[in-house]
Amino acid sequence: MADTQSTAGGGDAPGEESVETELSRDMSLADITFIGVGAMIGAGVFALTGFAAGLAGPALTVAFILNGLVAMFTAVSYAELGAAFPEAGGGYLWVKEALADPNGFYAGWMSWFAHAVACALYAVTFGVFLTEFFVVFAGLPDGFALFGLLDRLLVEKLLAVVMVLAFAYINYRGAEETGKAGVVVTTIKILILGVFVAFGILATVREPNWTATFLDSPSFAPNGLVGVIGAMGFTYIAFEGYEIIVQSGEEVVDPGTNVPKAVFYSMAIVVPIYVLVAFAAIGGIDVTAELASRAGLTTAAPTWQVLGNLGELGIIEAAGQFVPYGVPLLLFAGLAATMSALNATIYSSSRVSFAMGRDRVLPGFFGRIHGDKRTPHWAIGLSAVLIGLMAVLLPIESVAAAADIMFIFLFIQVNWTVVKMRATHPDLPRTYEIPYMPWPPLIGIVLQFILTPFLLLELGLTPGLGAGSEGFVALVTTAVWMALGLVVYYGYSEGKEAEKLEEETPTVVTERAPERRESQVLVPIANPDNAAQLMRTAIDVARDRDAEILVMSAVEVPSQTPISEGRRFVDEKRETISSVMELATDADVPVSGTVRLGHDAGTAILNTIEEHDSDAVLMGWRGRGRRRDYILGSNVDEVVTKAPCDVLVERIGPTDGEVDSILLPTAGGPHAELAAEVCRAIARTNDAEIHVMNVVAPDADESDREDAQRRVDSTAAAVGDDEVRVTTSVREGDDVAATIVAATEEFDLTVIGATREGLLQQLVFGAIPETVGRDAASTVIMAKRDLGVISWATRWFKRRRDDYHVRNGDGE
């Protein structure tokens, strides 16, 4: 699926080429599901489980089940809207579209703050875990004071700020946690939690009277229904991963199907994990004198109370009792989880504030993109300042509560939006529809209204229910932010939105569709200096195949920047594409152009091949690769190995583009056949002579030499005709690649097919063609035939048959 926008201006004159701009969607269902799972199994399960156990007692297991149920009533709203509007911005854009102002502004305002405060929670948790790491492994006492000034709490806050600044800088630079790395981190977290659950359950059932902990009343829910619902509200932040899923909707392949699936799959994975972790922690822990002392309790205290007093370290302490190497293992998992969550929430909070700046509801500098890094640097920087302030000024319980309140308010707006849009947008393409409308979102609104007061009550807002003031701090923080939002909206945003509406005028855009042919050659342009030579080759191949040419260039933007914003950088690419398209137009070959916007150029090329059903791709290659982990270069390697079409890679040598002589080394096979076709096409246009060559060992017997001669004669007969002159030779050499490289000095161009090295070797075209491509004195084209669904066994028998025919002199 591609989002296409013509950039032809006010209309194309007859015969003028149009250049389209397309979004490259490269995230699979698995990728987007892991994003949701990674966000939900983040710092929440490590930092909040202990606190929540102190509120709900053993009934925390029920609280997590109910939380999953409550979250599902909002998840269905995100599934429907995320499938219909796969764009960066999520709930903010939907509310802005459906509800009257200032609802849209407040949706973005609260979403920005909620993600920022959630990030502050993860930062503070990281500081706590890293400090505990030093306490455990460096021998620091619990109540240490570094240099007599920095006590434990201050050290935790400083570490939190350092990590916020570090990840803000990483996001500014455009570095990203790649999809594979994200999957690895999430898998590690799940595996470690799985070990925790297994040992915790084993420790639980070993106790003869373990069922009394979970079944006896009132010990099962010591604070009653109020405590259970309070724990639900307190941990509700852990289930907001679907908000981050829809934030990446514009990058997902087939978002109409995959976004809803990812929302539901992630919930189905996460809720059981939370329930099992709570069960293992409460049932498996043993209240020893040392543990009770750390919690400020006696050994007679119930396990849930000990966990509650230990707070964010409750899970760590529990693991230290019943999991081998449990403390370092859980600290490692907690640090990995918090760092992963920090990166994700800085990313999501900056995206929301960037979208608001782009819409002018926040000052315009929020919507600026750095010219070099191509990241929303102002949005990232100011989000980091907000996150750092929250991390320093608020206790961790208040941080979590403030984020919960903001997310609850945002989810209420989203649930009402999905109801409203059924009336205001009846023709919206809904690939997923909520059943039994409008009841699920309305039930979600009611349930979330119920959670909020109980959350604040349990955190101590009302005397008699809890000893702390965290709920009061969270409520005041929320109220101050909402009041500040009123000032910003009525003092700035309202007027700027009106100005934007006045400036917007409709634009007439037309496109000239290329003359469609049955075959298409795709030409990705990366280096403008080589573009003309690549196009000359593409024109020759297209004429031979009676094909059209699609010229493309990829604009890479960091993951921190919405793909659609890459349109700001297309002008230079469009100029290059337009200039090389003129070469095809002058040669009377049908041509069109596209600029693909994506996070990875190689993936963008593969998307273009699949979406345009290209039959061949011709890429340029600079020569020696810069990194040892790639053969030809990351983008070239990826396309050569994954493209579902014929692949040609051209390394342009020191030539003026004139081709009078072509070397065609051949050893037979489908790739050599493609190389021969390319040779013939180029030779016809340039009136060039083809020299077909085979290499044999100096000690080869007569039979091998005869086979080699038959092979070159067969290939010569296939490429030669009245228009193409062909010569042949069989040369001796101990090293086939070196012999071919030496021969390239005699020719203007060498075309060589891929070879058949084993699948376990780190090769793209094979050792011989890659050596020739790297060391040849002239321009080289490496060719790889698309073998489609032909099995390895079928290709093996075909080669044996071809060799038999060559030996018997009856053609290849």
Side-chain angles (χ1 to χ4, degrees), residues 34 45 61 128 255 325 383 388 457 483 587 800 805:
F34 266 95
V45 69
T61 52
V128 171
Y325 306 102
S383 294
L457 287 172
R800 301 286 77 74
H805 288 311

Side-chain angles (χ1 to χ4, degrees), residues 412-698:
I412 288 171
Q413 282 188 304
V414 170
N415 280 325
W416 181 241
T417 294
V418 78
V419 175
K420 186 74 178 295
M421 278 195 172
R422 285 294 183 96
T424 59
H425 296 66
D427 298 326
L428 194 66
R430 293 175 171 87
T431 52
Y432 168 78
E433 292 189 357
I434 301 172
Y436 307 112
M437 278 289 285
W439 296 112
L442 292 180
I443 293 172
I445 291 173
V446 172
L447 291 175
Q448 284 164 125
F449 266 123
I450 292 173
L451 286 180
T452 306
F454 281 94
L455 164 65
L456 297 174
L457 287 172
E458 273 301 300
L459 287 175
L461 181 59
T462 299
L465 286 173
S469 61
E470 292 84 0
F472 178 76
V473 174
L475 188 61
V476 169
T477 303
T478 302
V480 169
W481 186 255
M482 298 295 280
L484 182 60
L486 281 175
V487 174
V488 173
Y489 180 76
Y490 287 107
Y492 175 85
S493 305
E494 188 178 29
K496 291 297 182 180
E497 281 189 309
E499 289 178 14
K500 185 180 178 183
L501 289 173
E502 291 175 4
E503 292 173 5
E504 289 179 350
T505 55
T507 302
V508 178
V509 177
T510 61
E511 299 177 10
R512 182 183 71 85
E515 177 187 344
R516 293 296 300 177
R517 299 283 178 88
E518 291 297 321
S519 181
Q520 183 187 83
V521 178
L522 175 67
V523 185
I525 301 295
N527 184 355
D529 295 337
N530 296 336
Q533 175 58 39
L534 281 179
M535 279 301 292
R536 282 192 283 268
T537 302
I539 289 168
D540 293 341
V541 174
R543 279 175 170 165
D544 187 65
R545 296 183 173 211
D546 191 26
E548 66 180 15
I549 295 175
L550 174 61
V551 185
M552 72 155 289
S553 188
V555 174
E556 287 185 297
V557 294
S559 63
Q560 290 78 8
T561 305
I563 290 180
S564 57
E565 292 305 310
R567 289 193 173 97
R568 304 186 185 195
F569 305 99
V570 302
D571 286 347
E572 180 181 347
K573 302 285 188 180
R574 187 192 312 136
E575 291 173 5
T576 300
I577 289 178
S578 297
S579 64
V580 298
M581 286 170 62
E582 291 177 4
L583 297 174
T585 301
D586 294 342
D588 198 28
V589 174
V591 64
S592 59
T594 182
V595 177
R596 300 285 298 203
L597 311 178
H599 295 315
D600 177 77
T603 304
I605 294 170
L606 291 171
N607 286 347
T608 306
I609 292 170
E610 294 179 2
E611 292 166 14
H612 290 268
D613 197 22
S614 302
D615 299 281
V617 58
L618 170 64
M619 304 180 68
W621 178 41
R622 68 169 65 92
R624 295 181 183 271
R626 297 177 180 176
R627 291 177 52 177
R628 293 184 177 181
D629 50 339
Y630 295 111
I631 302 301
L632 308 179
S634 58
N635 296 329
V636 180
D637 285 11
E638 185 177 14
V639 174
V640 172
T641 55
K642 297 180 181 179
C645 66
D646 295 344
V647 179
L648 306 174
V649 174
E650 182 168 357
R651 198 220 76 193
I652 298 172
T655 176
D656 57 4
E658 294 294 327
V659 179
D660 295 321
S661 58
I662 305 172
L663 175 64
L664 176 60
T666 185
H671 305 305
E673 292 171 2
L674 175 60
E677 293 172 12
V678 173
C679 274
R680 183 179 61 239
I682 297 174
R684 284 175 175 168
T685 300
N686 294 273
D687 191 26
E689 182 177 86
I690 299 174
H691 182 79
V692 183
M693 185 183 81
N694 192 277
V695 179
V696 297

Side-chain angles (χ1 to χ4, degrees), residues 312-332:
E312 63 270 24
L313 292 176
I315 291 291
I316 307 297
E317 295 293 344
Q321 283 202 343
F322 54 73
V323 179
Y325 306 102
V327 171
L329 195 63
L330 266 291
L331 279 175
F332 171 75

